[in-house]
Amino acid sequence: MAKKQLGILLSGRGSNFEAIAENVEQGGINAEIAIVISDVADARGLDIARQRKLEARFLDPRGKSREDFDREVVALLVEHKVDLVCLAGFMRILSPFFIQQFPARILNIHPALLPSFKGLHAQRQALRYGVKVSGCSVHFVDDGVDSGPIIIQAVVPVLDDDTEETLSQRILKEEHRIYSQAIRWIIEDRVQIAGRRVRILETPV
Ligand code: GAR
């Protein structure tokens, strides 16, 4: 059977993408990265993709409506026969059009234990709120912000002397682990969605 094709969308550093690419390269994820797309021309993630000889494209969102931009992204994803879209630090909200093109086939990673601390600066929100644990969540993307069904979460402690930086670093380490785990389950066809609940099956669906 042909390997499943991943499409990665990112806006910046690209460390989650890098962790996924490592797992793909080492056979931990039985798929191929078909394309990496960024809305930021000088995103470090694009450089990493190019260094890895992956197809890397910048699409300029300036002067376009959300949907017009998303139509360009979707066209590229379709052209590259992408099966699963992975948002990896992609700092844009997707249009309903985009989501409809890939039903239950778009994943996102968020640096908090959803449904807490949605949106931007999740680690800062967690520190300010004073929670004692935080973490990260991989979820399906629906038409809300960070609101789709959760596939996997990881918990980390919040320490008394944490700064946004140190907490983010601790969370990021877990992000790198659970994002690949979620992708692996999906590629293996072991993920079943029932309403908001996601079950991981022992054997493929
Ligand atoms: C990650 O911490 C990711 O969880 C977060 O952006 C960072 C991207 O880092 N995403 C969000 O906050 C989405 N709401 P990376 O570019 O090194 O993967």
Side-chain angles (χ1 to χ4, degrees):
M1 210 167 62
K3 283 193 180 182
K4 290 267 198 283
Q5 303 296 306
L6 306 180
I8 310 278
L9 269 54
L10 54 81
S11 301
R13 184 177 53 185
S15 75
N16 274 288
F17 151 59
E18 213 173 354
I20 294 165
E22 269 311 304
N23 272 297
V24 166
E25 201 174 294
Q26 289 167 14
I29 296 173
N30 186 22
E32 286 168 358
I33 296 177
I35 187 163
V36 178
I37 302 172
S38 180
D39 60 331
V40 176
D42 59 356
R44 176 177 169 267
L46 280 181
D47 293 335
I48 297 170
R50 292 188 187 110
Q51 281 160 19
R52 288 180 168 270
K53 309 271 181 271
L54 295 170
E55 179 80 16
R57 298 283 278 271
F58 160 62
L59 287 180
D60 196 345
R62 284 172 300 182
K64 293 168 197 159
S65 71
R66 187 182 303 284
E67 182 166 326
D68 283 349
F69 176 76
D70 281 3
R71 281 184 185 274
E72 288 183 18
V73 176
V74 166
L76 263 185
L77 294 170
V78 170
E79 185 190 317
H80 286 80
K81 301 190 167 43
V82 165
D83 300 293
L84 184 65
V85 181
C86 303
L87 309 185
F90 188 59
M91 294 312 199
R92 293 175 61 87
I93 294 168
L94 305 192
S95 61
F97 166 78
F98 192 150
I99 293 161
Q100 281 155 22
Q101 302 309 303
F102 290 92
R105 288 193 295 144
I106 308 174
L107 305 183
N108 183 41
I109 179 114
H110 184 72
L113 293 173
L114 292 172
S116 292
F117 313 127
K118 295 176 174 174
L120 292 176
H121 308 300
Q123 303 93 331
R124 191 185 305 169
Q125 292 184 55
L127 273 180
R128 286 195 177 152
Y129 198 90
V131 291
K132 298 298 184 191
V133 295
S134 191
C136 46
S137 311
V138 179
H139 63 93
F140 286 108
V141 173
D142 66 6
D143 52 10
V145 175
D146 300 325
S147 61
I150 294 166
I151 302 164
I152 182 171
Q153 295 183 301
V155 181
V156 305
V158 178
L159 305 180
D160 288 347
D161 58 355
D162 262 339
T163 60
E164 191 177 341
E165 187 76 20
T166 57
L167 178 60
S168 299
Q169 208 45 47
R170 193 174 307 120
I171 293 173
L172 192 63
K173 203 163 161 243
E174 293 302 302
E175 293 186 40
H176 294 166
R177 182 177 66 79
I178 68 171
Y179 210 167
S180 286
Q181 178 63 267
I183 294 169
R184 195 175 301 127
W185 282 332
I186 290 177
I187 298 295
E188 291 170 356
D189 239 345
R190 291 172 52 195
V191 175
Q192 197 174 54
I193 313 176
R196 284 212 51 89
R197 299 189 71 180
V198 175
R199 278 178 44 189
I200 311 304
L201 308 174
E202 283 302 315
T203 50
V205 179

